[in-house]
């Protein structure tokens, strides 16, 4: 994911110290029940779509925007799937971040799945019984998005 300009501005004075940042994930299903995935340019791995809100941007709007920017697919957000503070990470340049991820179930409404920016190597729809290798992050969110249960929240006792 490209670093937004407002974070570069913060980093100019904050240095590499840990920043708590909002993040969104979008689990997009089509009318056939397939899920939309992108193969990330930074890691080469398949993943659900996600990004960082710009200041003042609403999380659901971010989900729909990121899906379109990265994949060319238009979607509507249906519901919040989960909210979770992720483990802190340190990037190769020394920057430290911890993301508060809000994941959304989305429904595709138009467009054609394609690589639409420089953050993805490939974009494709996958049947749920034919997913490529995915990290637990994406698998768990896809599972929660399939559920009709309430929004999932992690607690300290679950760690």
């Amino acid at each position: 994911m490209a670093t937004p300009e407002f974070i570069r501005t913060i980093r100019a004075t904050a240095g590499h110290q840990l920043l708590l940042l909002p993040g969104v994930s979008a689990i997009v299903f089509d009318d056939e029940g397939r899920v939309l995935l992108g193969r990330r340019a930074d890691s080469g791995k398949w993943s659900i779509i996600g990004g960082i809100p710009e200041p003042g941007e609403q999380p659901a709007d971010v989900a729909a925007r990121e899906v379109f920017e990265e994949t060319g697919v238009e979607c509507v957000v249906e519901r919040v799937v989960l909210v979770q503070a992720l483990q802190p990470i340190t990037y190769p340049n020394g920057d430290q971040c911890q993301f508060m991820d809000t994941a959304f179930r989305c429904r595709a409404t138009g467009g054609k799945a394609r690589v639409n920016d420089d953050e993805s190597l490939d974009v494709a729809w996958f049947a749920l019984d034919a997913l490529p290798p995915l990290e637990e992050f994406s698998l768990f969110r896809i599972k929660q998005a399939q559920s009709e249960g309430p929004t999932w929240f992690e607690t300290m006792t679950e760690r």
Side-chain angles (χ1 to χ4, degrees), residues 6 19 57 66 112 132 148:
F6 80 94
L19 297 179
E57 194 174 21
E66 288 287 344
K112 181 174 169 68
E148 294 304 321

Side-chain angles (χ1 to χ4, degrees), residues 2 5 9 21 41 43 65 77 97 101 105 113 116 119 125-126 147 150:
E5 189 58 38
T9 302
L21 298 172
S43 68
R65 175 181 56 77
V77 173
C97 294
D101 183 48
R105 178 188 169 103
N116 207 35
E119 294 182 36
W125 292 101
F126 290 90
S147 162

Side-chain angles (χ1 to χ4, degrees), residues 140-156:
F140 186 68
R141 281 153 178 75
I142 293 168
K143 177 184 170 194
Q144 291 303 119
Q146 292 174 275
S147 162
E148 294 304 321
T151 302
W152 180 87
F153 302 95
E154 184 172 21
T155 64
M156 290 303 292

Side-chain angles (χ1 to χ4, degrees), residues 22-26 51 53-54 56-66 77 80 102-104:
V24 299
S25 299
E54 294 289 331
E57 194 174 21
Q58 294 297 325
D61 292 338
V62 177
R65 175 181 56 77
E66 288 287 344
V77 173
V80 174
T102 303
F104 296 94

Side-chain angles (χ1 to χ4, degrees), residues 20-42:
L20 178 62
L21 298 172
V24 299
S25 299
I27 304 90
V28 184
F29 294 100
D30 67 5
D31 290 338
E32 297 174 38
R34 299 176 301 173
V35 67
L36 180 65
L37 300 175
R39 194 159 63 88
R40 297 175 56 100
D42 60 354

Side-chain angles (χ1 to χ4, degrees), residues 48-130:
I48 58 174
I49 309 304
I52 299 172
E54 294 289 331
E57 194 174 21
Q58 294 297 325
D61 292 338
V62 177
R65 175 181 56 77
E66 288 287 344
V67 169
F68 183 74
E69 285 179 0
E70 293 181 26
T71 72
V73 171
E74 297 167 354
C75 69
V76 294
V77 173
E78 295 182 323
R79 69 181 178 89
V80 174
V81 171
L82 66 78
V83 178
Q84 182 183 36
L86 305 179
Q87 292 296 314
I89 57 174
T90 302
Y91 290 98
N93 69 354
D95 288 353
Q96 299 174 61
C97 294
Q98 182 176 18
F99 290 97
M100 179 67 67
D101 183 48
T102 303
F104 296 94
R105 178 188 169 103
C106 304
R107 180 176 40 85
T109 58
K112 181 174 169 68
R114 65 183 186 276
V115 174
N116 207 35
D117 67 10
D118 60 357
E119 294 182 36
S120 301
L121 300 173
D122 198 0
V123 171
W125 292 101
F126 290 90
L128 295 173
D129 62 356

